[in-house]
């Protein structure tokens, strides 16, 4: 296989930051929505899910990147899926060993990391064409971006729906929890609200640059 | 579990705990392919069909794995078998029913990575459903998915004509809509309780 | 795939190479999974044992040890609690090794989905001594009070579950009544605003009490001494 010109690109801070901000998997690319909505009813769950996904992302990217020249094109997807499923099984058992309560709270969503499009997408679009360091840094960025998004949702939902943050009561006794926020509809509403906020920020920025430079929109 | 009647399992999977609106499984196609009513309808049917096939496969594999005490390979086997089952269905459909293939074919590869399919297989294993219960559960889940995606498409077709602020166009609006739909489905809880 | 369009297509690898890769990856993954499984298994079993112990200790007050038994048509067999299947009964013993009570699982469908609980039963007072929720997805703030509301849980301090004289069923069926309408010791005072969830608890206790307790009644002697 001919060396990809991209593989020679130096690893910069951008490789990491792309995933966190500019190409944030959840807010910008709208990938991997299922766990984002399902397990963000508390901050603790969100953190656990973010860490688990990042771990799988890192390990599978590293392995795919190492094996990228040995895997024939025709069977690559099957190979990636087996690799990802392996690491997910590992995470599944490790979480059971750490805490059963956490395991029960996350439910089937740990095993469903397998079908999270972010991971397969990274393996296919990045790790299979880049060296191991670049792949690692890139997937670390993606993992951080994903965890950040989970945290954004989790904190808002726990705060409004339960009046707590990480189980610590924030508001006084008189606070009436807005239960709908930790129920399924709340997930949709909060994610929708975050997307609205980002769209508004983007629009405001676009308008500001337009005014400043007198260049018409892209 | 003997206290769950088949009728309740169907209702539970279809409406009370709708896979999309209360378990958040299969959100990607739910948001992605719900722009037009008839594509949504086809997507729903294709997913329901794959759900049925993979539920049967998953039941068979689980029986086998439990027999040999290899439960820790369950996830890897499920995902591999579901992916190949979808390919098989695609090939068989292409050969014997080209009309059906034209209608559903393009959606089949997409469905492989739909979490609703793997979710269904995992849930029926966790709940220790018998063969018949699994069958009814997968039928209910398929019907529920179709119902949700068709409803969503109907709403979005209407909404395309409405004037909304530019900021809220696209995903944000769809999510808010899905939230309202989910709120509506919450009203079905307690049904038959 | 755009880069591929410019470079000439490499010759398709033989199926041997494909099979070799797949087999290699499959073996690697199998090895990794088995290693993790072996490494985490003792911890997982310990966690499960602690979870069961916590639940049993909660529903049978004043015990210091417990043991699990499986209820078969022909009697009770001692089993290992973490991986046993079938109808399990837990026996709780105090410091002196005397039987204080039994615990068993019950389930019924509630508002959202099936609710599973563990309840304790004391053979000396023939009453239910406590419940704890094992699994529920009831509405936060309303239905999930069945596990936390102290007034509701007070129903199960000594809920009458006496058997009839033929020892075939409960003398009085356990029922859930509207909030504030409890008059008899076999009635459960519902939580207002969570009637369906409260009724589910009453239903599962009655179902389990009608079927399991008569079967257990003749076999309590088997549990009497600490194994």
């Amino acid at each position: 296989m001919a060396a990809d010109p991209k593989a020679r690109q130096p690893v910069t801070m951008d490789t990491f930051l792309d995933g966190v901000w500019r190409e944030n998997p959840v807010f910008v690319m709208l990938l991997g929505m299922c766990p984002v909505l399902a397990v963000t009813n508390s901050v603790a769950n969100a953190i656990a899910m973010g860490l688990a996904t990042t771990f799988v992302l890192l390990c599978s990217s590293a392995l795919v990147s190492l094996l990228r020249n040995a895997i024939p094109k025709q069977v690559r997807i099957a190979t990636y899926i087996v690799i990802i499923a392996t690491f997910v099984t590992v995470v599944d058992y490790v979480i059971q060993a750490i805490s059963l309560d956490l395991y029960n709270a996350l439910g089937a969503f740990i095993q469903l990391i397998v079908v999270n499009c972010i991971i397969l997408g990274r393996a296919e679009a990045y790790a299979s064409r880049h060296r191991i360091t670049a792949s690692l840094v890139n997937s670390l960025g993606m993992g951080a971006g994903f965890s950040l998004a989970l945290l954004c949702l989790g904190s808002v939902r726990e705060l409004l729906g339960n009046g707590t943050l990480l189980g610590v009561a924030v508001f006084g006794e008189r606070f009436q929890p807005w239960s709908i926020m930790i129920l399924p509809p709340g997930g949709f509403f909060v994610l929708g609200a975050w997307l609205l906020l980002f769209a508004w920020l983007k629009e405001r920025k676009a308008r500001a640059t337009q005014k400043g430079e007198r260049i018409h929109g892209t | 579990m003997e206290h769950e009647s088949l009728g309740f399992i169907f209702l539970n999977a279809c409406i009370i705990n709708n896979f999309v609106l209360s378990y958040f499984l299969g959100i990607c196609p739910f948001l992605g392919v719900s722009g037009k009513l008839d594509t949504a309808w086809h997507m729903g049917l294709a997913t329901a069909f794959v759900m049925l096939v993979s539920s049967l496969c998953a039941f068979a594999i689980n029986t086998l794995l439990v027999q040999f005490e290899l439960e820790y390979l369950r996830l890897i086997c499920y995902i591999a078998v579901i992916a190949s089952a979808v390919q098989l269905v695609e090939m068989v459909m292409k050969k014997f029913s080209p009309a059906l293939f034209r209608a559903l074919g393009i959606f089949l590869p997409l469905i492989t990575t739909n979490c609703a399919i793997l979710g269904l297989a995992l849930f029926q294993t966790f709940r220790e459903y018998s063969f018949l219960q699994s069958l009814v559960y997968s039928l209910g889940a398929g019907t529920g998915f179709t119902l949700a995606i068709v409803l969503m498409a109907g709403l979005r077709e209407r909404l395309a004509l409405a004037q909304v602020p530019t900021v809220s166009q696209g995903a944000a609006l769809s999510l808010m809509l899905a939230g309202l739909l989910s709120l509506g489905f919450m009203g079905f809880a307690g049904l038959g309780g | 795939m755009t880069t591929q369009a410019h470079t000439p297509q490499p010759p398709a690898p033989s199926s041997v190479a494909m099979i070799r890769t797949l087999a290699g990856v499959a073996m690697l993954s199998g090895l990794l999974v088995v290693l993790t499984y072996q490494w985490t298994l003792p911890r997982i079993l310990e966690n499960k044992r602690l979870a069961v112990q916590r639940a049993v200790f909660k529903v049978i007050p004043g015990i210091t040890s417990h043991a699990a038994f499986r209820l078969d048509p022909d009697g009770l067999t001692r089993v290992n609690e973490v991986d046993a299947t079938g109808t399990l009964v837990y026996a709780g013993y105090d410091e002196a090794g005397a039987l204080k009570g039994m615990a068993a699982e019950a389930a019924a469908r509630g508002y959202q989905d099936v609710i599973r609980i563990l309840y304790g039963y004391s053979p000396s007072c023939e009453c239910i001594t406590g419940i704890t929720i094992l699994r529920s997805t009831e509405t936060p703030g309303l239905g999930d009070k069945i596990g936390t509301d102290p007034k509701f849980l007070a129903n199960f301090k000594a809920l009458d579950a006496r058997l009839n004289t033929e020892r075939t069923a409960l003398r009085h069926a356990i029922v859930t009544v509207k909030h504030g309408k409890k008059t008899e010791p076999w009635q459960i005072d519902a939580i207002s605003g969570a009637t369906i969830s409260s009724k589910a608890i009453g239903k599962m206790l009655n179902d389990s009490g009608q079927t399991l307790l008569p079967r257990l009644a003749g076999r309590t002697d088997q549990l009497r001494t600490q194994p």
Side-chain angles (χ1 to χ4, degrees):
Chain A
M1 208 179 287
D4 196 303
K6 273 188 202 158
R8 297 268 167 256
Q9 271 178 9
V11 181
T12 59
M13 201 58 197
D14 269 1
T15 322
F16 176 73
L17 284 180
D18 261 0
V20 180
W21 191 247
R22 212 170 313 133
E23 288 178 22
N24 186 295
V26 177
F27 291 137
V28 181
M29 302 207 289
L30 298 178
L31 288 176
M33 303 292 255
C34 307
V36 171
L37 292 164
V39 295
T40 51
N41 47 13
S42 80
V43 178
N45 289 355
I47 293 175
M49 190 68 194
L51 286 180
T53 310
T54 310
F55 173 79
V56 175
L57 197 55
L58 274 179
C59 295
S60 54
S61 286
L63 202 59
V64 167
S65 178
L66 279 179
L67 296 175
R68 69 183 186 280
N69 292 331
I71 301 174
K73 274 231 152 20
Q74 288 79 355
V75 291
R76 66 183 194 286
I77 300 287
T79 321
Y80 299 161
I81 287 185
V82 172
I83 291 176
I84 295 170
T86 309
F87 287 116
V88 172
T89 314
V90 169
V91 167
D92 188 66
Y93 280 116
V94 170
I95 291 187
Q96 275 191 59
I98 294 172
S99 157
L100 268 187
D101 289 337
L102 186 64
Y103 182 74
N104 290 334
L106 296 178
F109 283 93
I110 304 168
Q111 305 210 352
L112 285 172
I113 297 178
V114 174
V115 280
N116 191 328
C117 346
I118 299 172
I119 298 172
L120 193 62
R122 277 301 99 188
E124 166 77 6
Y126 203 94
S128 61
R129 330 198 161 154
H130 290 81
R131 292 168 153 213
I132 181 161
T133 23
S135 305
L136 273 177
V137 172
N138 180 272
S139 41
L140 195 66
M142 278 288 163
F146 184 70
S147 310
L148 183 77
L150 284 172
L151 211 57
C152 282
L153 258 87
S155 50
V156 171
R157 287 180 71 185
E158 192 180 333
L159 198 63
L160 295 179
N162 209 10
T164 56
L165 259 185
L166 271 171
V168 181
V170 175
F171 302 121
E173 278 286 301
R174 311 264 288 282
F175 178 71
Q176 179 68 38
W178 194 2
S179 294
I180 203 78
M181 282 300 155
I182 42 178
L183 290 172
F188 287 114
F189 289 141
V190 175
L191 184 59
W194 276 106
L195 287 179
L196 265 184
L197 179 71
F198 285 122
W200 179 70
L201 284 177
K202 209 168 131 191
E203 205 195 51
R204 213 177 58 153
K205 204 175 144 196
R207 231 183 298 146
T209 45
Q210 216 171 53
K211 258 186 203 155
E213 299 172 12
R214 301 257 165 229
I215 296 168
H216 284 285
T218 46
Chain B
M1 289 191 204
E2 62 282 2
H3 51 264
E4 290 183 69
S5 66
L6 292 180
F8 176 68
I9 290 177
F10 184 83
L11 262 185
N12 190 8
C14 177
I15 297 179
I16 303 173
N17 286 313
N18 186 288
F19 265 49
V20 180
L21 296 170
S22 107
Y23 285 151
F24 304 110
L25 296 170
I27 295 287
C28 300
F30 178 68
L31 294 177
V33 202
S34 61
K36 278 214 182 79
L37 198 53
D38 61 323
T39 26
W41 180 237
H42 285 145
M43 180 71 189
L45 286 185
T47 311
F49 182 65
V50 173
M51 274 182 169
L52 190 64
V53 173
S54 52
S55 158
L56 297 183
C57 292
F59 185 81
I61 299 174
N62 193 41
T63 319
L64 249 154
L65 288 180
V66 170
Q67 197 86 46
F68 293 107
E69 297 186 348
L70 289 172
E71 282 99 336
Y72 47 84
L73 290 179
R74 188 185 286 143
L75 185 64
I76 301 177
C77 292
Y78 274 10
I79 187 90
V81 167
I82 289 173
S84 19
V86 174
Q87 293 249 297
L88 211 67
V89 167
E90 202 181 339
M91 283 188 250
V92 170
M93 209 187 256
K94 207 172 185 174
K95 178 116 172 66
F96 293 106
S97 171
L100 195 63
F101 180 74
R102 266 197 301 281
L104 305 182
I106 47 163
F107 298 115
L108 287 175
L110 274 178
I111 295 171
T112 318
T113 51
N114 181 340
C115 31
I117 310 286
L118 186 65
L120 173 77
L122 291 173
F123 283 146
Q124 79 179 33
T125 317
F126 289 157
R127 290 166 177 232
E128 297 170 3
Y129 279 158
S130 68
F131 178 73
L132 206 58
Q133 284 175 319
S134 304
L135 194 71
V136 173
Y137 192 58
S138 72
L139 279 176
T143 318
F145 183 83
T146 315
L147 186 68
I149 198 168
V150 166
L151 280 177
M152 184 71 179
L155 286 173
R156 280 180 66 179
E157 275 197 348
R158 282 295 183 90
L159 208 65
L161 303 173
Q163 287 211 320
V164 289
T166 37
V167 193
S168 61
Q169 269 166 5
L173 195 62
S174 304
L175 279 168
M176 290 292 180
L177 208 55
L180 288 178
L181 210 53
S182 164
L183 206 56
F185 268 67
M186 262 182 66
F188 290 115
L191 206 67
Chain C
M1 289 296 111
T2 43
T3 49
Q4 232 184 328
H6 303 295
T7 51
Q9 192 78 32
S14 63
S15 27
V16 179
M18 284 194 237
I19 292 173
R20 204 177 49 209
T21 317
L22 277 181
V25 169
M27 262 157 67
L28 194 71
S29 82
L31 190 73
L32 211 64
V33 168
V34 171
L35 279 180
T36 322
Y37 181 70
Q38 295 291 355
W39 178 57
T40 52
L41 193 61
R43 283 291 300 275
I44 294 173
L45 291 182
E46 177 66 13
N47 278 347
K48 282 190 179 156
R49 198 186 62 77
L50 283 177
V52 171
Q53 181 178 341
R54 216 167 36 224
V56 173
F57 278 35
K58 197 175 156 197
V59 296
I60 316 174
I63 59 170
T64 52
S65 66
H66 75 288
F69 296 87
R70 187 176 60 228
L71 187 61
D72 298 319
D74 52 336
L76 289 159
T77 357
R78 178 83 208 271
V79 288
N80 185 0
E81 62 200 29
V82 284
D83 49 9
T85 51
T87 314
L88 294 187
V89 176
Y90 304 96
Y93 305 95
D94 65 7
E95 264 170 41
L99 181 70
K100 289 287 281 186
M102 282 98 88
E105 266 188 37
R109 58 181 200 244
Y111 191 63
Q112 277 285 342
D113 210 336
V114 173
I115 307 172
R116 284 176 49 222
I117 65 163
L118 188 81
Y119 69 94
Y121 171 79
S122 161
S124 57
C125 76
E126 293 198 49
C127 61
I128 285 167
T129 52
I131 63 165
T132 181
I133 311 288
L134 298 177
R135 179 178 171 274
S136 107
T137 49
E138 299 304 285
T139 324
L142 292 171
D144 75 341
K145 277 196 206 154
I146 51 171
T148 52
D149 189 46
K151 275 195 201 131
F152 182 67
L153 291 177
N155 280 312
F156 309 102
K157 285 265 159 57
L159 186 71
D160 187 342
R162 274 175 299 167
L163 294 175
N164 58 14
T165 35
E166 295 86 39
R167 305 219 143 239
T168 51
L170 292 180
R171 188 173 301 174
H172 305 284
I174 297 170
V175 282
T176 306
V177 294
K178 270 194 186 157
H179 181 62
K181 294 272 161 62
K182 172 173 169 148
T183 49
E184 305 288 346
W186 56 84
Q187 290 176 337
I188 300 170
D189 192 4
I191 303 173
S192 67
T195 321
I196 294 183
S197 308
S198 312
K199 274 194 174 152
I201 301 285
K203 183 175 181 303
M204 66 181 89
L205 285 178
N206 187 48
D207 287 353
S208 178
Q210 301 280 15
T211 52
L212 190 74
L213 293 182
R215 284 171 67 192
L216 264 181
R219 304 204 172 91
T220 319
D221 289 337
Q222 251 178 291
L223 304 173
R224 194 69 69 190
T225 46
Q226 190 170 13

